Amino acid sequence: MSKPIVWIVGTGGTIASKYDAALGGHVAAASAEELTANVPELAVVADIRAREHSRVNSAVIDTPTVFGLRDTLRAVLADDAVSGAVVTHGTATLEETAYLLDLTVGSDKPIVVTGAQRDFDEKDADGPRNILYAAMIAADPLAAGRGVMVCVGGQIHAARYVVKADTLSLDAFGSRDGGKIGMVSKTGVTWFAHPRRSPHLEVDHVKQNVQLVVNTQGANDLLLRACIAARVDGIVVDAVGAGNMNLPFYHGVCDALAAGIPVVVTSRHLAGPPYASKGYLGSLKSVMAHGALSGGFLSGIKARILLMVALAHTRDRAQLAEIFASA
């Protein structure tokens, strides 16, 4: 029997980083072909094809490069013979890329985003095993229809929930509310859950100037005023508790909404959604009365990605509310 075809699409990151003596540190340098050649076990899993999309560390990757990855993946997945794709990526912003792809690619074929905590040229690099495991998932017929996934350290997470939880550990990722949806080892792939798919939004661009502002105790409205003055496309406020904020933030949010800037409110905490239970000025209820939207179970980081995509689709508040309600 023929093996499934899986594409490995490289974007750079620690997984592809080598030491550069001139810079005095590591930088993305290994190509997608080098990454696959470094994992001979891949040949047992699938018929592997490699393609370079970019070669950059993810802390400095820009939005056009990430959105262009959507088109690269659509191109490689268009062939009916292809089972799925693996994206190698830096872990710093991996969760953002994965969610943007989840919203915009629009394919039932599995896309697995993976990365590494150790550089390509380290003797005990974790990248090769992560690539192998990601390819095993992409080749698994049961992976279809689960949306974009992230696999690092043998854990499988849905793009909607995944978050980088540790800067050093090889098990660097967790899920904010939903928990991991599966595990993978050399013995195979085990599935625990079939997550609800994120809404697919067909757009030809994203609104890049959406700002995330975190409310902290005693914070003033300086950053919100700067957003209003700059006429940003949208604002996500990562609020405290159940989506509440102090008075400076309340007035800043109200003025942003009055200026026609969409505002989404999330909770900065590790789990749980905002909910409108308080009545004081600054509560979620008080800003929603002025037109703010709840980000639901999305983190502030994920809500920003959704708002960037949604605003390229519509600026109608009712339609935006429907999109966030379905996210």
Side-chain angles (χ1 to χ4, degrees), residues 6 41-42 45-46 48 86 112 129-141 143 184-189 191:
V6 171
E41 300 96 327
L42 285 170
V45 173
I48 298 295
V86 171
V112 186
R129 180 162 295 197
N130 286 340
I131 292 172
L132 175 63
Y133 286 173
M136 289 171 62
I137 298 165
D140 184 358
V184 58
S185 68
K186 286 190 174 182
T187 61
V189 182
W191 298 103

Side-chain angles (χ1 to χ4, degrees), residues 32-295:
E33 289 78 10
E34 285 182 272
L35 291 176
T36 56
N38 200 36
V39 192
E41 300 96 327
L42 285 170
V44 178
V45 173
D47 178 358
I48 298 295
R49 316 281 174 84
R51 177 166 175 170
E52 189 92 346
H53 173 74
S54 59
R55 202 180 300 179
V56 63
N57 290 93
S58 69
V60 294
I61 200 168
D62 59 25
T63 301
T65 300
V66 175
F67 188 65
L69 182 58
R70 186 276 303 258
D71 297 328
T72 296
L73 288 167
R74 282 184 169 181
V76 301
L77 294 175
D79 184 349
D80 290 340
V82 172
S83 295
V86 171
V87 175
T88 59
H89 196 285
T91 60
T93 61
L94 185 152
E95 65 197 82
E96 293 164 79
T97 292
Y99 189 49
L100 190 145
L101 295 175
D102 201 34
L103 294 168
T104 61
V105 172
S107 174
D108 280 336
K109 294 181 178 180
I111 298 170
V112 186
V113 189
T114 192
Q117 293 288 80
R118 294 172 180 163
D119 295 296
F120 176 86
D121 56 6
E122 293 192 66
K123 292 181 180 179
D124 57 349
D126 54 322
R129 180 162 295 197
N130 286 340
I131 292 172
L132 175 63
Y133 286 173
M136 289 171 62
I137 298 165
D140 184 358
L142 295 179
R146 295 178 191 264
V148 175
M149 293 165 280
V150 169
C151 178
V152 174
Q155 299 187 10
I156 309 171
H157 298 274
R160 177 175 180 262
Y161 294 109
V162 71
V163 59
K164 184 168 184 180
D166 197 303
T167 62
L168 290 174
S169 172
L170 299 187
D171 296 328
F173 288 84
S175 284
R176 178 180 158 97
D177 285 285
K180 59 179 176 276
I181 63 172
M183 293 285 292
V184 58
S185 68
K186 286 190 174 182
T187 61
V189 182
T190 301
W191 298 103
F192 302 148
H194 201 301
R196 179 167 61 90
R197 294 291 300 272
S198 296
H200 170 64
L201 298 173
E202 187 57 44
V203 295
D204 60 8
H205 70 288
V206 296
K207 294 293 186 181
Q208 297 185 50
N209 196 10
V210 173
Q211 301 300 321
L212 173 62
V213 183
V214 181
N215 185 212
T216 57
Q217 187 179 76
N220 62 29
D221 58 357
L222 174 65
L223 298 178
L224 288 171
R225 297 296 170 190
C227 288
I228 296 169
R231 301 293 304 174
V232 300
D233 295 316
I235 300 170
V236 175
V237 172
D238 218 12
V240 301
N244 307 312
M245 61 196 72
N246 62 17
L247 279 174
F249 261 62
Y250 166 76
H251 291 299
V253 166
C254 291
D255 289 347
L257 292 164
I261 300 173
V263 178
V264 175
V265 180
T266 57
S267 173
R268 73 184 198 189
H269 304 296
L270 297 180
Y275 56 93
S277 63
K278 302 294 192 292
Y280 55 81
L281 295 184
S283 67
L284 177 65
K285 180 179 179 180
S286 69
V287 291
M288 290 185 71
H290 287 269
L293 300 174
S294 169

